[in-house]
Short mmCIF file of all heavy atoms in Angstrom, two decimals:
data_model
loop_
_atom_site.label_atom_id
_atom_site.label_comp_id
_atom_site.label_asym_id
_atom_site.label_seq_id
_atom_site.Cartn_x
_atom_site.Cartn_y
_atom_site.Cartn_z
N MET A 1 37.34 -51.33 -36.14
CA MET A 1 38.28 -50.26 -36.47
C MET A 1 39.68 -50.78 -36.22
O MET A 1 40.04 -51.14 -35.12
CB MET A 1 37.96 -49.04 -35.63
CG MET A 1 38.81 -47.85 -35.96
SD MET A 1 38.31 -46.45 -34.99
CE MET A 1 37.88 -45.36 -36.29
N ASP A 2 40.46 -50.84 -37.26
CA ASP A 2 41.80 -51.41 -37.21
C ASP A 2 42.82 -50.30 -36.98
O ASP A 2 42.88 -49.34 -37.74
CB ASP A 2 42.08 -52.14 -38.51
CG ASP A 2 43.29 -53.05 -38.41
OD1 ASP A 2 43.65 -53.41 -37.28
OD2 ASP A 2 43.85 -53.38 -39.46
N GLU A 3 43.61 -50.43 -35.92
CA GLU A 3 44.65 -49.45 -35.61
C GLU A 3 45.88 -49.70 -36.47
O GLU A 3 46.24 -50.84 -36.73
CB GLU A 3 45.03 -49.54 -34.13
CG GLU A 3 43.92 -49.12 -33.19
CD GLU A 3 43.60 -47.66 -33.28
OE1 GLU A 3 44.52 -46.85 -33.50
OE2 GLU A 3 42.42 -47.31 -33.15
N PRO A 4 46.58 -48.64 -36.90
CA PRO A 4 47.80 -48.84 -37.69
C PRO A 4 48.94 -49.35 -36.82
O PRO A 4 49.02 -49.05 -35.64
CB PRO A 4 48.10 -47.46 -38.24
CG PRO A 4 47.46 -46.53 -37.29
CD PRO A 4 46.24 -47.24 -36.76
N THR A 5 49.80 -50.13 -37.41
CA THR A 5 50.99 -50.62 -36.72
C THR A 5 52.21 -49.95 -37.33
O THR A 5 52.11 -49.27 -38.35
CB THR A 5 51.11 -52.15 -36.85
OG1 THR A 5 51.26 -52.47 -38.23
CG2 THR A 5 49.92 -52.86 -36.27
N LEU A 6 53.36 -50.16 -36.72
CA LEU A 6 54.58 -49.54 -37.22
C LEU A 6 54.97 -50.11 -38.58
O LEU A 6 55.63 -49.44 -39.36
CB LEU A 6 55.72 -49.74 -36.23
CG LEU A 6 55.61 -48.95 -34.93
CD1 LEU A 6 56.75 -49.32 -34.00
CD2 LEU A 6 55.62 -47.47 -35.20
N GLU A 7 54.57 -51.33 -38.87
CA GLU A 7 54.94 -51.95 -40.14
C GLU A 7 54.16 -51.37 -41.31
O GLU A 7 54.66 -51.29 -42.42
CB GLU A 7 54.73 -53.46 -40.08
CG GLU A 7 55.72 -54.19 -39.21
CD GLU A 7 55.37 -54.14 -37.73
OE1 GLU A 7 54.20 -53.86 -37.39
OE2 GLU A 7 56.28 -54.33 -36.91
N ASP A 8 52.90 -51.00 -41.09
CA ASP A 8 52.08 -50.57 -42.23
C ASP A 8 51.60 -49.12 -42.14
O ASP A 8 50.80 -48.69 -42.95
CB ASP A 8 50.88 -51.50 -42.41
CG ASP A 8 49.97 -51.50 -41.20
OD1 ASP A 8 50.30 -50.87 -40.19
OD2 ASP A 8 48.92 -52.17 -41.27
N ILE A 9 52.09 -48.36 -41.18
CA ILE A 9 51.68 -46.96 -41.08
C ILE A 9 52.42 -46.16 -42.15
O ILE A 9 53.62 -46.33 -42.35
CB ILE A 9 51.92 -46.39 -39.67
CG1 ILE A 9 51.23 -45.06 -39.50
CG2 ILE A 9 53.39 -46.26 -39.38
CD1 ILE A 9 51.14 -44.60 -38.06
N SER A 10 51.71 -45.33 -42.87
CA SER A 10 52.37 -44.59 -43.95
C SER A 10 52.78 -43.21 -43.49
O SER A 10 53.94 -42.95 -43.25
CB SER A 10 51.46 -44.52 -45.17
OG SER A 10 50.24 -43.88 -44.81
N ASP A 11 51.82 -42.29 -43.38
CA ASP A 11 52.17 -40.95 -42.92
C ASP A 11 50.92 -40.26 -42.41
O ASP A 11 49.82 -40.80 -42.42
CB ASP A 11 52.82 -40.13 -44.04
CG ASP A 11 51.88 -39.93 -45.22
OD1 ASP A 11 50.88 -40.65 -45.33
OD2 ASP A 11 52.15 -39.05 -46.02
N TYR A 12 51.10 -39.04 -41.95
CA TYR A 12 50.00 -38.27 -41.38
C TYR A 12 48.92 -37.97 -42.40
O TYR A 12 47.75 -37.91 -42.07
CB TYR A 12 50.56 -36.97 -40.79
CG TYR A 12 49.50 -36.01 -40.32
CD1 TYR A 12 48.82 -36.24 -39.14
CD2 TYR A 12 49.19 -34.89 -41.06
CE1 TYR A 12 47.85 -35.36 -38.71
CE2 TYR A 12 48.23 -34.01 -40.64
CZ TYR A 12 47.55 -34.25 -39.46
OH TYR A 12 46.59 -33.39 -39.04
N ASN A 13 49.27 -37.79 -43.66
CA ASN A 13 48.29 -37.43 -44.69
C ASN A 13 47.28 -38.54 -44.92
O ASN A 13 46.20 -38.29 -45.45
CB ASN A 13 48.99 -37.07 -45.99
CG ASN A 13 49.80 -35.81 -45.86
OD1 ASN A 13 49.47 -34.93 -45.08
ND2 ASN A 13 50.89 -35.74 -46.59
N GLY A 14 47.61 -39.77 -44.55
CA GLY A 14 46.69 -40.87 -44.72
C GLY A 14 45.62 -40.93 -43.65
O GLY A 14 44.63 -41.64 -43.80
N LEU A 15 45.78 -40.20 -42.57
CA LEU A 15 44.78 -40.21 -41.50
C LEU A 15 43.56 -39.41 -41.91
O LEU A 15 43.65 -38.43 -42.64
CB LEU A 15 45.37 -39.62 -40.22
CG LEU A 15 46.52 -40.39 -39.59
CD1 LEU A 15 47.03 -39.63 -38.37
CD2 LEU A 15 46.09 -41.77 -39.18
N LYS A 16 42.40 -39.84 -41.40
CA LYS A 16 41.15 -39.15 -41.72
C LYS A 16 40.29 -39.06 -40.46
O LYS A 16 40.39 -39.88 -39.58
CB LYS A 16 40.39 -39.91 -42.80
CG LYS A 16 41.05 -39.91 -44.15
CD LYS A 16 40.20 -40.65 -45.15
CE LYS A 16 40.75 -40.61 -46.53
NZ LYS A 16 42.01 -41.24 -46.74
N GLY A 17 39.46 -38.04 -40.42
CA GLY A 17 38.44 -37.92 -39.39
C GLY A 17 38.98 -37.71 -37.99
O GLY A 17 39.80 -36.83 -37.74
N LYS A 18 38.49 -38.56 -37.07
CA LYS A 18 38.81 -38.40 -35.65
C LYS A 18 40.30 -38.59 -35.35
O LYS A 18 40.85 -37.92 -34.49
CB LYS A 18 38.02 -39.41 -34.83
CG LYS A 18 36.58 -39.08 -34.64
CD LYS A 18 35.93 -40.15 -33.79
CE LYS A 18 34.82 -39.56 -32.96
NZ LYS A 18 34.22 -40.55 -32.09
N LYS A 19 40.93 -39.50 -36.07
CA LYS A 19 42.36 -39.73 -35.80
C LYS A 19 43.19 -38.52 -36.18
O LYS A 19 44.11 -38.14 -35.46
CB LYS A 19 42.84 -40.96 -36.57
CG LYS A 19 42.32 -42.25 -36.03
CD LYS A 19 42.91 -43.42 -36.76
CE LYS A 19 42.34 -44.71 -36.22
NZ LYS A 19 42.91 -45.87 -36.89
N LYS A 20 42.88 -37.88 -37.29
CA LYS A 20 43.63 -36.70 -37.72
C LYS A 20 43.40 -35.55 -36.72
O LYS A 20 44.34 -34.84 -36.37
CB LYS A 20 43.20 -36.28 -39.12
CG LYS A 20 44.11 -35.28 -39.75
CD LYS A 20 43.81 -35.15 -41.24
CE LYS A 20 44.90 -34.38 -41.92
NZ LYS A 20 44.79 -34.39 -43.36
N LYS A 21 42.16 -35.40 -36.26
CA LYS A 21 41.89 -34.36 -35.25
C LYS A 21 42.59 -34.68 -33.94
O LYS A 21 43.06 -33.78 -33.24
CB LYS A 21 40.38 -34.25 -35.04
CG LYS A 21 39.66 -33.63 -36.20
CD LYS A 21 38.17 -33.56 -35.95
CE LYS A 21 37.44 -33.04 -37.18
NZ LYS A 21 35.99 -33.03 -36.99
N GLY A 22 42.68 -35.96 -33.59
CA GLY A 22 43.38 -36.36 -32.36
C GLY A 22 44.86 -36.05 -32.42
O GLY A 22 45.45 -35.57 -31.45
N VAL A 23 45.47 -36.31 -33.57
CA VAL A 23 46.89 -36.00 -33.74
C VAL A 23 47.12 -34.50 -33.64
O VAL A 23 48.04 -34.04 -32.97
CB VAL A 23 47.42 -36.56 -35.08
CG1 VAL A 23 48.81 -36.05 -35.38
CG2 VAL A 23 47.41 -38.08 -35.08
N MET A 24 46.27 -33.73 -34.30
CA MET A 24 46.41 -32.27 -34.24
C MET A 24 46.19 -31.76 -32.81
O MET A 24 46.89 -30.84 -32.37
CB MET A 24 45.42 -31.60 -35.19
CG MET A 24 45.81 -31.72 -36.64
SD MET A 24 47.43 -31.02 -37.00
CE MET A 24 47.16 -29.32 -36.66
N LEU A 25 45.26 -32.34 -32.09
CA LEU A 25 45.00 -31.93 -30.71
C LEU A 25 46.22 -32.20 -29.83
O LEU A 25 46.59 -31.36 -29.00
CB LEU A 25 43.77 -32.66 -30.16
CG LEU A 25 43.34 -32.29 -28.76
CD1 LEU A 25 42.91 -30.83 -28.71
CD2 LEU A 25 42.22 -33.19 -28.31
N VAL A 26 46.86 -33.35 -30.01
CA VAL A 26 48.06 -33.67 -29.22
C VAL A 26 49.19 -32.70 -29.55
O VAL A 26 49.90 -32.22 -28.66
CB VAL A 26 48.48 -35.14 -29.47
CG1 VAL A 26 49.86 -35.42 -28.91
CG2 VAL A 26 47.46 -36.08 -28.87
N ILE A 27 49.37 -32.39 -30.83
CA ILE A 27 50.42 -31.46 -31.24
C ILE A 27 50.17 -30.08 -30.67
O ILE A 27 51.07 -29.43 -30.11
CB ILE A 27 50.55 -31.43 -32.77
CG1 ILE A 27 51.09 -32.76 -33.29
CG2 ILE A 27 51.45 -30.28 -33.23
CD1 ILE A 27 51.05 -32.91 -34.78
N ILE A 28 48.94 -29.60 -30.78
CA ILE A 28 48.59 -28.27 -30.27
C ILE A 28 48.71 -28.22 -28.75
O ILE A 28 49.20 -27.23 -28.19
CB ILE A 28 47.19 -27.86 -30.76
CG1 ILE A 28 47.24 -27.62 -32.27
CG2 ILE A 28 46.68 -26.63 -30.03
CD1 ILE A 28 45.88 -27.42 -32.90
N ALA A 29 48.29 -29.29 -28.07
CA ALA A 29 48.42 -29.33 -26.61
C ALA A 29 49.89 -29.30 -26.19
O ALA A 29 50.26 -28.59 -25.24
CB ALA A 29 47.73 -30.57 -26.06
N GLY A 30 50.74 -30.02 -26.90
CA GLY A 30 52.18 -30.01 -26.58
C GLY A 30 52.79 -28.64 -26.78
O GLY A 30 53.59 -28.18 -25.96
N LEU A 31 52.43 -27.99 -27.87
CA LEU A 31 52.93 -26.64 -28.11
C LEU A 31 52.42 -25.66 -27.06
O LEU A 31 53.15 -24.78 -26.60
CB LEU A 31 52.54 -26.16 -29.51
CG LEU A 31 53.27 -26.85 -30.67
CD1 LEU A 31 52.66 -26.42 -31.99
CD2 LEU A 31 54.74 -26.55 -30.63
N GLY A 32 51.16 -25.81 -26.67
CA GLY A 32 50.59 -24.93 -25.64
C GLY A 32 51.28 -25.10 -24.30
O GLY A 32 51.61 -24.12 -23.62
N ILE A 33 51.51 -26.34 -23.91
CA ILE A 33 52.21 -26.59 -22.64
C ILE A 33 53.63 -26.04 -22.70
O ILE A 33 54.14 -25.47 -21.73
CB ILE A 33 52.20 -28.10 -22.33
CG1 ILE A 33 50.78 -28.55 -21.98
CG2 ILE A 33 53.16 -28.44 -21.19
CD1 ILE A 33 50.61 -30.03 -21.88
N GLY A 34 54.29 -26.19 -23.85
CA GLY A 34 55.64 -25.65 -24.01
C GLY A 34 55.65 -24.13 -23.90
O GLY A 34 56.53 -23.56 -23.27
N LEU A 35 54.67 -23.47 -24.52
CA LEU A 35 54.60 -22.01 -24.43
C LEU A 35 54.33 -21.54 -23.01
O LEU A 35 54.91 -20.54 -22.56
CB LEU A 35 53.52 -21.48 -25.37
CG LEU A 35 53.87 -21.49 -26.85
CD1 LEU A 35 52.65 -21.10 -27.69
CD2 LEU A 35 55.02 -20.55 -27.12
N ILE A 36 53.48 -22.24 -22.29
CA ILE A 36 53.21 -21.89 -20.89
C ILE A 36 54.48 -22.04 -20.07
O ILE A 36 54.82 -21.18 -19.25
CB ILE A 36 52.06 -22.74 -20.32
CG1 ILE A 36 50.74 -22.33 -20.98
CG2 ILE A 36 51.97 -22.61 -18.81
CD1 ILE A 36 49.59 -23.25 -20.67
N TYR A 37 55.22 -23.14 -20.29
CA TYR A 37 56.46 -23.36 -19.55
C TYR A 37 57.48 -22.26 -19.84
O TYR A 37 58.11 -21.73 -18.92
CB TYR A 37 57.05 -24.72 -19.91
CG TYR A 37 58.40 -24.96 -19.30
CD1 TYR A 37 58.53 -25.30 -17.96
CD2 TYR A 37 59.56 -24.83 -20.05
CE1 TYR A 37 59.76 -25.50 -17.39
CE2 TYR A 37 60.81 -25.03 -19.49
CZ TYR A 37 60.89 -25.37 -18.16
OH TYR A 37 62.12 -25.56 -17.60
N VAL A 38 57.64 -21.91 -21.09
CA VAL A 38 58.60 -20.86 -21.46
C VAL A 38 58.18 -19.53 -20.85
O VAL A 38 59.02 -18.78 -20.34
CB VAL A 38 58.73 -20.77 -23.00
CG1 VAL A 38 59.47 -19.50 -23.41
CG2 VAL A 38 59.43 -21.98 -23.54
N GLY A 39 56.90 -19.21 -20.87
CA GLY A 39 56.42 -17.96 -20.30
C GLY A 39 56.65 -17.89 -18.81
O GLY A 39 57.13 -16.87 -18.29
N VAL A 40 56.32 -18.96 -18.09
CA VAL A 40 56.52 -18.97 -16.64
C VAL A 40 58.00 -18.91 -16.30
O VAL A 40 58.42 -18.20 -15.39
CB VAL A 40 55.85 -20.22 -16.02
CG1 VAL A 40 56.28 -20.42 -14.58
CG2 VAL A 40 54.34 -20.09 -16.11
N ASN A 41 58.81 -19.65 -17.04
CA ASN A 41 60.25 -19.65 -16.79
C ASN A 41 60.86 -18.28 -17.08
O ASN A 41 61.78 -17.84 -16.40
CB ASN A 41 60.93 -20.73 -17.63
CG ASN A 41 62.33 -21.01 -17.16
OD1 ASN A 41 62.68 -20.74 -16.03
ND2 ASN A 41 63.13 -21.56 -18.04
N TYR A 42 60.35 -17.59 -18.08
CA TYR A 42 60.88 -16.27 -18.43
C TYR A 42 60.54 -15.24 -17.35
O TYR A 42 61.38 -14.44 -16.96
CB TYR A 42 60.31 -15.82 -19.77
CG TYR A 42 60.76 -14.45 -20.20
CD1 TYR A 42 62.05 -14.25 -20.67
CD2 TYR A 42 59.91 -13.36 -20.13
CE1 TYR A 42 62.48 -13.00 -21.07
CE2 TYR A 42 60.34 -12.10 -20.52
CZ TYR A 42 61.61 -11.92 -20.99
OH TYR A 42 62.04 -10.68 -21.37
N PHE A 43 59.31 -15.27 -16.86
CA PHE A 43 58.89 -14.25 -15.89
C PHE A 43 59.26 -14.60 -14.46
O PHE A 43 59.54 -13.72 -13.65
CB PHE A 43 57.39 -14.01 -15.98
CG PHE A 43 57.00 -13.27 -17.23
CD1 PHE A 43 56.28 -13.91 -18.23
CD2 PHE A 43 57.36 -11.96 -17.41
CE1 PHE A 43 55.93 -13.23 -19.38
CE2 PHE A 43 57.01 -11.27 -18.57
CZ PHE A 43 56.29 -11.92 -19.55
N LEU A 44 59.29 -15.88 -14.10
CA LEU A 44 59.54 -16.26 -12.71
C LEU A 44 60.88 -16.96 -12.50
O LEU A 44 61.26 -17.21 -11.38
CB LEU A 44 58.42 -17.18 -12.21
CG LEU A 44 57.01 -16.60 -12.24
CD1 LEU A 44 56.01 -17.64 -11.78
CD2 LEU A 44 56.92 -15.35 -11.39
N GLY A 45 61.60 -17.28 -13.56
CA GLY A 45 62.80 -18.09 -13.44
C GLY A 45 64.07 -17.31 -13.21
O GLY A 45 65.10 -17.90 -12.91
N SER A 46 64.04 -16.01 -13.32
CA SER A 46 65.27 -15.25 -13.14
C SER A 46 65.54 -14.99 -11.65
O SER A 46 64.63 -14.73 -10.89
CB SER A 46 65.20 -13.92 -13.89
OG SER A 46 64.17 -13.13 -13.37
N VAL A 47 66.80 -15.05 -11.28
CA VAL A 47 67.21 -14.83 -9.89
C VAL A 47 67.90 -13.47 -9.84
O VAL A 47 68.91 -13.25 -10.50
CB VAL A 47 68.15 -15.94 -9.41
CG1 VAL A 47 68.63 -15.67 -8.00
CG2 VAL A 47 67.45 -17.28 -9.50
N ASP A 48 67.36 -12.56 -9.04
CA ASP A 48 67.92 -11.22 -8.94
C ASP A 48 68.87 -11.06 -7.75
O ASP A 48 69.62 -10.11 -7.70
CB ASP A 48 66.80 -10.19 -8.84
CG ASP A 48 65.97 -10.14 -10.11
OD1 ASP A 48 66.51 -10.45 -11.18
OD2 ASP A 48 64.78 -9.81 -10.01
N ASP A 49 68.80 -11.96 -6.79
CA ASP A 49 69.61 -11.80 -5.59
C ASP A 49 70.70 -12.87 -5.50
O ASP A 49 70.99 -13.40 -4.44
CB ASP A 49 68.73 -11.83 -4.34
CG ASP A 49 67.97 -13.14 -4.21
OD1 ASP A 49 67.91 -13.88 -5.19
OD2 ASP A 49 67.42 -13.38 -3.12
N SER A 50 71.33 -13.17 -6.60
CA SER A 50 72.38 -14.19 -6.59
C SER A 50 73.67 -13.63 -5.99
O SER A 50 73.91 -12.44 -6.03
CB SER A 50 72.63 -14.71 -8.00
OG SER A 50 73.11 -13.66 -8.81
N LEU A 51 74.47 -14.53 -5.45
CA LEU A 51 75.75 -14.16 -4.86
C LEU A 51 76.88 -14.63 -5.77
O LEU A 51 76.87 -15.75 -6.27
CB LEU A 51 75.92 -14.82 -3.48
CG LEU A 51 74.92 -14.41 -2.41
CD1 LEU A 51 75.12 -15.25 -1.17
CD2 LEU A 51 75.08 -12.94 -2.08
N ASN A 52 77.85 -13.77 -5.96
CA ASN A 52 79.02 -14.15 -6.74
C ASN A 52 80.04 -14.79 -5.82
O ASN A 52 80.39 -14.25 -4.77
CB ASN A 52 79.64 -12.93 -7.41
CG ASN A 52 78.73 -12.36 -8.46
OD1 ASN A 52 77.99 -13.10 -9.10
ND2 ASN A 52 78.77 -11.05 -8.65
N VAL A 53 80.55 -15.95 -6.19
CA VAL A 53 81.53 -16.68 -5.40
C VAL A 53 82.83 -16.67 -6.17
O VAL A 53 82.88 -17.07 -7.33
CB VAL A 53 81.06 -18.13 -5.15
CG1 VAL A 53 82.11 -18.91 -4.37
CG2 VAL A 53 79.73 -18.12 -4.42
N PHE A 54 83.90 -16.21 -5.52
CA PHE A 54 85.19 -16.08 -6.17
C PHE A 54 86.20 -17.12 -5.72
O PHE A 54 87.34 -17.09 -6.14
CB PHE A 54 85.76 -14.67 -5.94
CG PHE A 54 84.89 -13.59 -6.52
CD1 PHE A 54 84.14 -12.77 -5.71
CD2 PHE A 54 84.80 -13.42 -7.89
CE1 PHE A 54 83.33 -11.78 -6.24
CE2 PHE A 54 83.99 -12.45 -8.44
CZ PHE A 54 83.26 -11.62 -7.61
N ASP A 55 85.82 -18.04 -4.83
CA ASP A 55 86.72 -19.10 -4.39
C ASP A 55 86.79 -20.18 -5.46
O ASP A 55 85.79 -20.70 -5.90
CB ASP A 55 86.23 -19.73 -3.08
CG ASP A 55 86.39 -18.81 -1.90
OD1 ASP A 55 87.21 -17.89 -1.99
OD2 ASP A 55 85.69 -19.02 -0.89
N ASN A 56 88.01 -20.49 -5.86
CA ASN A 56 88.21 -21.57 -6.81
C ASN A 56 88.57 -22.83 -6.05
O ASN A 56 89.49 -22.82 -5.23
CB ASN A 56 89.33 -21.23 -7.80
CG ASN A 56 88.92 -20.12 -8.72
OD1 ASN A 56 87.76 -19.97 -9.04
ND2 ASN A 56 89.88 -19.31 -9.13
N VAL A 57 87.90 -23.90 -6.29
CA VAL A 57 88.19 -25.16 -5.64
C VAL A 57 89.25 -25.88 -6.47
O VAL A 57 89.02 -26.23 -7.62
CB VAL A 57 86.91 -26.03 -5.53
CG1 VAL A 57 87.24 -27.37 -4.91
CG2 VAL A 57 85.85 -25.30 -4.74
N LYS A 58 90.43 -26.04 -5.88
CA LYS A 58 91.55 -26.67 -6.60
C LYS A 58 91.46 -28.18 -6.51
O LYS A 58 91.59 -28.88 -7.50
CB LYS A 58 92.88 -26.21 -6.03
CG LYS A 58 93.10 -24.71 -6.11
CD LYS A 58 93.26 -24.24 -7.53
CE LYS A 58 93.55 -22.76 -7.51
NZ LYS A 58 93.37 -22.12 -8.78
N THR A 59 91.26 -28.69 -5.30
CA THR A 59 91.13 -30.14 -5.12
C THR A 59 89.98 -30.40 -4.16
O THR A 59 89.66 -29.60 -3.30
CB THR A 59 92.42 -30.75 -4.51
OG1 THR A 59 92.65 -30.14 -3.25
CG2 THR A 59 93.61 -30.53 -5.43
N VAL A 60 89.40 -31.57 -4.32
CA VAL A 60 88.33 -32.00 -3.43
C VAL A 60 88.92 -33.05 -2.50
O VAL A 60 89.45 -34.06 -2.97
CB VAL A 60 87.15 -32.59 -4.22
CG1 VAL A 60 86.06 -33.07 -3.29
CG2 VAL A 60 86.61 -31.55 -5.19
N PRO A 61 88.88 -32.80 -1.18
CA PRO A 61 89.47 -33.78 -0.25
C PRO A 61 88.66 -35.09 -0.27
O PRO A 61 87.45 -35.09 -0.38
CB PRO A 61 89.39 -33.10 1.12
CG PRO A 61 88.35 -32.05 0.97
CD PRO A 61 88.33 -31.65 -0.48
N TYR A 62 89.39 -36.20 -0.18
CA TYR A 62 88.77 -37.52 -0.19
C TYR A 62 89.12 -38.22 1.12
O TYR A 62 90.28 -38.24 1.52
CB TYR A 62 89.31 -38.33 -1.37
CG TYR A 62 88.77 -39.72 -1.44
CD1 TYR A 62 87.47 -39.95 -1.83
CD2 TYR A 62 89.56 -40.82 -1.09
CE1 TYR A 62 86.96 -41.23 -1.88
CE2 TYR A 62 89.06 -42.08 -1.13
CZ TYR A 62 87.76 -42.30 -1.53
OH TYR A 62 87.26 -43.56 -1.58
N LYS A 63 88.13 -38.74 1.79
CA LYS A 63 88.38 -39.45 3.05
C LYS A 63 88.49 -40.91 2.84
O LYS A 63 87.94 -41.52 2.06
CB LYS A 63 87.26 -39.18 4.05
CG LYS A 63 87.31 -37.80 4.61
CD LYS A 63 86.28 -37.68 5.70
CE LYS A 63 86.40 -36.34 6.36
NZ LYS A 63 85.52 -36.20 7.47
#
Protein backbone atom coordinates (compact mmCIF):
# COMPACT_ATOMS: atom_id res chain seq x y z
CA MET A 1 0.00 0.00 0.00
CA ASP A 2 1.65 3.17 -1.23
CA GLU A 3 1.08 6.34 0.81
CA PRO A 4 0.60 9.63 -1.08
CA THR A 5 3.31 12.25 -0.90
CA LEU A 6 3.03 16.01 -1.17
CA GLU A 7 4.32 15.90 -4.74
CA ASP A 8 1.68 13.55 -6.12
CA ILE A 9 -1.32 13.98 -3.81
CA SER A 10 -4.27 15.34 -5.75
CA ASP A 11 -7.29 15.99 -3.55
CA TYR A 12 -9.74 14.47 -1.10
CA ASN A 13 -12.02 13.15 -3.86
CA GLY A 14 -9.29 10.77 -4.97
CA LEU A 15 -9.27 8.95 -1.64
CA LYS A 16 -11.19 5.70 -1.33
CA GLY A 17 -12.18 3.27 1.39
CA LYS A 18 -10.39 3.35 4.73
CA LYS A 19 -8.38 6.47 3.98
CA LYS A 20 -11.48 8.52 3.15
CA LYS A 21 -13.20 7.29 6.33
CA GLY A 22 -10.05 8.14 8.31
CA VAL A 23 -9.99 11.69 6.98
CA MET A 24 -13.67 12.15 7.79
CA LEU A 25 -13.13 10.72 11.28
CA VAL A 26 -10.31 13.19 11.97
CA ILE A 27 -12.42 16.11 10.71
CA ILE A 28 -15.45 15.07 12.77
CA ALA A 29 -13.30 14.49 15.87
CA GLY A 30 -11.76 17.96 15.50
CA LEU A 31 -15.16 19.58 15.16
CA GLY A 32 -16.46 17.61 18.16
CA ILE A 33 -13.54 18.66 20.35
CA GLY A 34 -14.03 22.27 19.24
CA LEU A 35 -17.74 22.16 20.10
CA ILE A 36 -17.00 20.69 23.54
CA TYR A 37 -14.42 23.43 24.16
CA VAL A 38 -16.82 26.19 23.11
CA GLY A 39 -19.60 24.73 25.27
CA VAL A 40 -17.42 24.43 28.38
CA ASN A 41 -15.96 27.89 27.84
CA TYR A 42 -19.43 29.38 27.40
CA PHE A 43 -20.89 27.84 30.56
CA LEU A 44 -17.85 27.85 32.85
CA GLY A 45 -15.63 30.60 31.41
CA SER A 46 -17.52 33.67 32.53
CA VAL A 47 -16.35 35.51 35.65
CA ASP A 48 -19.14 37.04 37.72
CA ASP A 49 -17.08 38.40 40.61
CA SER A 50 -14.57 40.54 38.74
CA LEU A 51 -13.20 43.75 40.24
CA ASN A 52 -13.05 47.00 38.33
CA VAL A 53 -9.69 48.76 38.63
CA PHE A 54 -9.62 52.49 37.95
CA ASP A 55 -5.90 53.17 38.55
CA ASN A 56 -4.10 54.12 35.38
CA VAL A 57 -0.44 53.18 35.27
CA LYS A 58 1.42 56.11 33.71
CA THR A 59 4.97 54.81 33.97
CA VAL A 60 6.56 51.57 35.05
CA PRO A 61 9.52 52.11 37.40
CA TYR A 62 12.78 50.53 36.23
CA LYS A 63 15.53 49.55 38.65
